[in-house]
Amino acid sequence: MSTETEAKHAPEAVRRILEGQGYVADTRTATVAYLAGALDRPLLIEGPAGVGKTELGVALAAAEGRELIRLQCYEGLDESKAVYEWAYGKQLLYVELLKDRLEEVTEGATSLAEAARRVGELDDVFFSERFLLPRPLLRAIRCEGPALLLIDEVDKAEPEFEALLLEVLADFALSIPEVGTVKATRRPRVVLTSNDSRELSDALRRRCLHLFLDFPTPEREEEILRSRIPGLEAGLAASIAAHVARIRTLDLRKLPSVAETIEWARALLLLGGDALEPQLVRDTLDVLLKHEEDRDQVVSLKIG
């Protein structure tokens, strides 16, 4: 098979590999995932909560045999939590333990400048990586094996945090004042997810390939259910997927995610359900819906 033919069929191969990890991807998703890897570009996945954005990153890491390094973003995330933290307490303890040795080093110095010079020669002792506590971004850069850096819900972090991400994504290098510049010897694969709670910068978007994931069609959700729940009958899977699709057309506080659809299907099976009987549905809606007013609306409209 020629290289051109292999490349043409690569997205289908990616789709099958992801399916082997329990992730049911459509052709578009598999194609963009393949291109992000082939072009060595970060993959930005956007879409509503609960459509499988994070799960795609996890599945890609498993499918490609990469170490998964996850950075969960949130409001107030700063460099000490994302990149590294300096263990000042450990450093001070180290200085205390070596106090006698410092006195020996400075003994006989004829001036303060000479004493400072002698102590300065010990910088590698007191400013070394032994005091460095790596966080996800630094761990990904220093990882010697294949890794996938999952930057989850990047839209929850402040816009200023994107400047740091741009530095990392541009050179896969970080400047650390205490030890110098750390540069990746093996570039990690990068996946970013966003629930679109705020607009991301054009600069960050330019660095990435973009993929939008929406809630699956009933047919694809049926396929997901049957993939994730062995033994689930096709008729029941189709009924569950169709009912959840109808529920998602309502103006609810929280639309049910794919993961919650799977949990609901499992709950129905645990209770011996082989069809969506009205009473059984009402008794199990708490698995699918997370707010009482949402449940009341579904029950009153006799949906689900």
Side-chain angles (χ1 to χ4, degrees):
M1 185 179 294
S2 68
T3 302
E4 182 179 345
T5 302
E6 289 177 353
K8 182 178 180 180
H9 293 284
E12 176 59 24
V14 170
R15 191 193 65 78
R16 290 197 302 269
I17 291 171
L18 288 173
E19 191 173 289
Q21 298 299 324
Y23 191 93
V24 178
D26 58 17
T27 301
R28 177 189 176 188
T29 299
T31 300
V32 177
Y34 163 71
L35 290 174
L39 298 173
D40 195 18
R41 296 279 298 280
L43 175 59
L44 171 61
I45 311 172
E46 293 188 290
V51 296
K53 301 184 297 296
T54 299
E55 288 78 4
L56 177 54
V58 173
L60 282 171
E64 298 175 357
R66 295 175 178 269
E67 178 183 350
L68 178 66
I69 301 174
R70 180 175 178 178
L71 172 62
Q72 177 62 53
C73 297
Y74 53 87
E75 186 177 350
L77 178 66
D78 59 17
E79 191 171 339
S80 68
K81 294 296 186 292
V83 184
Y84 76 99
E85 190 172 358
W86 191 255
Y88 291 104
K90 182 179 178 181
Q91 186 184 38
L92 289 173
L93 178 61
Y94 199 78
V95 171
E96 186 66 26
L97 291 173
L98 295 179
K99 183 185 294 183
D100 293 340
R101 177 59 181 150
L102 287 174
E103 291 176 355
E104 292 177 15
V105 169
T106 58
E107 185 178 359
T110 58
S111 67
L112 181 60
E114 183 179 354
R117 179 186 60 75
R118 293 183 183 182
V119 173
E121 292 174 352
L122 300 176
D123 278 356
D124 289 344
V125 175
F126 297 106
F127 293 93
S128 71
E129 293 198 17
R130 65 169 56 89
F131 306 116
L132 197 63
L133 303 177
R135 300 306 185 197
L137 292 182
L138 182 57
R139 283 178 53 212
I141 286 177
R142 296 172 68 190
C143 190
E144 295 181 357
L148 186 144
L149 173 61
L150 176 59
I151 304 174
D152 217 1
E153 299 183 309
V154 65
D155 53 317
K156 287 188 176 180
E158 281 81 358
E160 293 76 15
F161 185 71
E162 290 185 28
L164 175 62
L165 289 182
L166 288 172
E167 177 187 354
V168 173
L169 297 179
D171 302 317
F172 284 93
L174 286 167
S175 178
I176 301 174
E178 294 87 351
V179 298
T181 300
V182 180
K183 189 173 180 62
T185 56
R186 186 167 188 169
R187 292 166 64 99
R189 182 161 187 175
V190 181
V191 173
L192 305 93
T193 74
S194 169
N195 293 335
D196 202 24
S197 63
R198 70 169 177 85
E199 183 63 30
L200 301 177
S201 70
D202 289 340
L204 182 60
R205 290 183 179 278
R206 281 196 300 271
R207 296 283 183 192
C208 307
L209 293 191
H210 179 264
L211 174 66
F212 182 83
L213 291 183
D214 206 344
F215 288 110
T217 63
E219 293 76 18
R220 185 158 298 280
E221 193 150 25
E222 176 189 345
E223 188 178 353
I224 293 170
L225 287 171
R226 297 186 66 189
S227 170
R228 298 294 293 274
I229 308 176
L232 181 65
E233 293 184 358
L236 180 57
S239 295
I240 292 171
H243 279 68
V244 171
R246 292 176 64 200
I247 289 173
R248 289 187 184 129
T249 64
L250 302 177
D251 184 21
L252 304 180
R253 284 184 61 183
K254 181 186 179 305
L255 298 178
S257 69
V258 175
E260 286 156 353
T261 303
I262 294 170
E263 284 299 296
W264 189 42
R266 286 174 174 155
L268 293 169
L269 288 181
L270 282 174
L271 295 176
D274 54 10
L276 291 185
E277 299 174 359
Q279 187 60 52
L280 180 60
V281 169
R282 285 194 294 271
D283 291 343
T284 56
L285 277 178
D286 294 294
V287 178
L288 187 66
L289 304 173
K290 305 303 179 181
H291 296 281
E292 189 65 15
E293 55 265 47
D294 289 350
R295 185 184 186 282
D296 290 344
Q297 184 179 171
V298 170
V299 170
S300 66
L301 294 175
K302 296 182 180 181
I303 295 179

